[in-house]
Structures are given as structure tokens and as C-alpha cells.
């Protein structure tokens, strides 16, 4: 790794710690559940296995190549690293955030998609699909997530949690917060009555308005 790549990787390690702490502070992750990564060229910096995200230090975060071989760091990469790497190879993402946040997991455990009942769902690409269940850390789970996230910034993972992608950690993290909010609104709305799902025409009108300035 040359000096410039080294500096960029160090910056991403610091960012992973910052967003790890924020995710823990907001209750999006508990203990060692959840993992984050960011890509720089052919390298990916990922949170390690077995370290609570609110106690992460930059040097704890391993650097792997796109095949998952550790090129820097003492710790073992997160067990969900194969899913992160599959997302980088299938999409233009520069960052991935995966959590077991409460409302996302409630929806992921009970439904096949999160219907768009609020127009902000469009910020994630519309209805958020639930990837079929597979054991954590397996190529099968990675494949299911890739299929579910097509043309989206987010996917839910059946009986497991949520995953979001973005052009950087801030974007992927904000997508995770928005997804959790949308899931909470949906679950709470179900407790009051039958939430109205926005129609294609209604969603198209929002897109047209957003692009008309
Ligand atoms: Zn997980």
C-alpha cells in the first residue's frame, strides 16, 4: 500500500469508529452486533469481529482486499465481510452499514417488503425488499441481499436485520437511520389502523416535483 492509499485508509478507519459510536449511541446496534465498511480503490476497511462498535479504535479495523484477504490489521474482519464485498462488486457503493436495529428487524421478520407509506421511502429507492433468510456470513445470504437491493439503497434481511449502501459512510449511515425511521412509522401505524400505501402515480408525482425544483 503506498503512502497516499495508507492515509486514505487511516481516514476511513477513523470514520468507521465515528459512525460505529453514533450507531451505538442511537441504539441502532447493541454490543458487537452490526458492522460497517468503506471502500477505497481495491481496499475495504471493515469493522472487526467481536469488538463493540462504541469501543472501536482505528487500529482495530482490518483492511482487506476485494477477495477478503487481510492486508493490514491484527483483528479478524467481521463475519459479514463476504456480504460487504459482494455489495461492492455488485454495486457502485463506497460504504456499507449493517445493523440489527429493532424496527427494521421487526419488519424483516414478518414481511416480504416494507411498503412505501411515506414519500421519503423514495430516498431509498421505493419499497424496501426483504432478502430471504440464509445463515449469517454465508455466500447464500450475500446473494440474497444483492438480489434484494437492486436499484435500492437498502434491503432488509429476513429474521436478521438491515443493510444500506451509499457513496460514503455518511450516506450509508443516513440511509440506515432513514430505513429504521420508515420501519418504525410502519410498525406504529399498523398498531393504529391500516396504513395507506402510496400508489405508483403518487410516487411518480413526488419524483416529478423533486426534479422540477
Ligand atoms: Zn447481522
Amino acid at each position: 500500500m503506498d503512502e497516499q492509499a495508507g492515509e486514505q485508509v487511516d481516514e476511513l478507519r477513523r470514520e468507521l469508529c465515528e459512525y460505529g459510536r453514533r450507531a451505538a449511541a442511537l441504539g441502532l446496534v447493541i454490543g458487537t452486533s452490526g458492522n460497517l465498511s468503506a471502500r477505497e480503490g481495491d481496499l475495504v476497511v471493515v469493522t472487526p469481529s467481536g469488538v463493540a462498535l462504541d469501543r472501536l479504535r482505528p487500529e482495530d479495523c482490518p483492511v482487506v482486499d476485494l477477495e477478503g484477504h487481510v492486508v493490514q490489521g491484527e483483528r479478524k474482519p467481521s463475519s459479514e465481510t463476504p456480504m460487504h464485498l459482494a455489495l461492492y462488486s455488485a454495486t457502485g457503493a463506497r460504504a456499507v452499514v449493517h445493523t440489527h436495529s429493532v424496527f427494521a428487524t421487526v419488519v424483516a421478520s414478518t414481511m416480504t417488503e416494507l411498503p412505501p407509506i411515506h414519500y421519503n421511502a423514495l430516498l431509498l429507492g421505493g419499497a424496501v425488499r426483504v432478502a430471504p433468510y440464509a445463515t449469517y456470513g454465508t455466500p447464500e445470504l450475500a446473494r440474497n441481499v444483492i438480489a434484494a437491493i437492486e436499484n435500492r439503497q437498502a434491503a432488509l434481511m429476513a429474521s436478521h436485520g438491515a443493510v444500506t449502501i451509499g457513496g460514503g459512510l455518511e450516506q450509508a449511515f443516513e440511509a440506515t437511520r432513514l430505513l429504521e425511521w420508515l420501519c418504525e412509522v410502519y410498525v406504529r401505524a399498523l398498531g393504529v389502523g391500516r396504513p395507506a400505501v402510496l400508489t405508483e402515480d403518487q410516487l411518480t408525482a413526488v419524483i416529478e416535483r423533486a426534479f422540477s425544483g
Side-chain angles (χ1 to χ4, degrees):
M1 196 184 312
D2 64 30
E3 197 178 327
Q4 196 187 355
E7 281 171 17
Q8 282 161 341
V9 158
D10 285 346
E11 174 58 26
L12 290 181
R13 282 174 144 170
R14 285 191 288 274
E15 279 188 43
L16 282 187
C17 295
E18 179 192 332
Y19 285 101
R21 275 194 297 275
R22 288 177 62 180
L26 290 169
L28 295 167
V29 300
I30 305 284
T32 60
S33 78
N35 34 75
L36 298 78
S37 71
R39 177 178 182 175
E40 176 60 47
D42 292 337
L43 298 173
V44 172
V45 188
V46 63
T47 52
S49 179
V51 178
L53 289 184
D54 55 351
R55 292 192 201 147
L56 210 54
R57 300 166 304 167
E59 61 269 30
D60 289 329
C61 299
V63 183
V64 299
D65 64 19
L66 295 175
E67 280 82 49
H69 304 113
V70 176
V71 298
Q72 200 177 87
E74 302 296 320
R75 292 190 179 272
K76 196 167 167 277
S78 159
S79 56
E80 289 295 3
T81 301
M83 176 179 75
H84 290 243
L85 296 177
L87 283 163
Y88 290 120
S89 89
T91 72
R94 302 277 301 210
V96 176
V97 174
H98 165 57
T99 72
H100 302 166
S101 59
V102 174
F103 286 96
T105 306
V106 168
V107 173
S109 304
T110 50
M111 307 190 61
T112 56
E113 70 169 25
L114 173 69
I117 69 164
H118 190 285
Y119 68 89
N120 275 355
L122 286 169
L123 295 170
L124 300 178
V128 179
R129 305 180 196 100
V130 180
Y133 182 80
T135 309
Y136 80 95
T138 59
E140 186 188 0
L141 179 59
R143 279 196 298 276
N144 294 350
V145 167
I146 297 303
I149 209 166
E150 190 180 10
N151 297 324
R152 299 285 187 278
Q153 298 297 309
L156 293 161
M157 300 153 71
S159 304
H160 186 155
V163 60
T164 60
I165 57 177
L169 272 167
E170 182 177 5
Q171 211 180 14
F173 183 78
E174 289 305 321
T176 284
R177 287 183 55 190
L178 175 60
L179 176 59
E180 179 66 6
W181 180 83
L182 289 167
C183 288
E184 180 169 358
V185 167
Y186 186 73
V187 169
R188 291 187 184 276
L190 280 178
V192 177
R194 184 183 296 180
V197 177
L198 292 169
T199 64
E200 282 300 322
D201 285 350
Q202 287 170 329
L203 292 170
T204 302
V206 172
I207 293 167
E208 283 168 359
R209 182 161 185 86
F211 283 105
S212 72

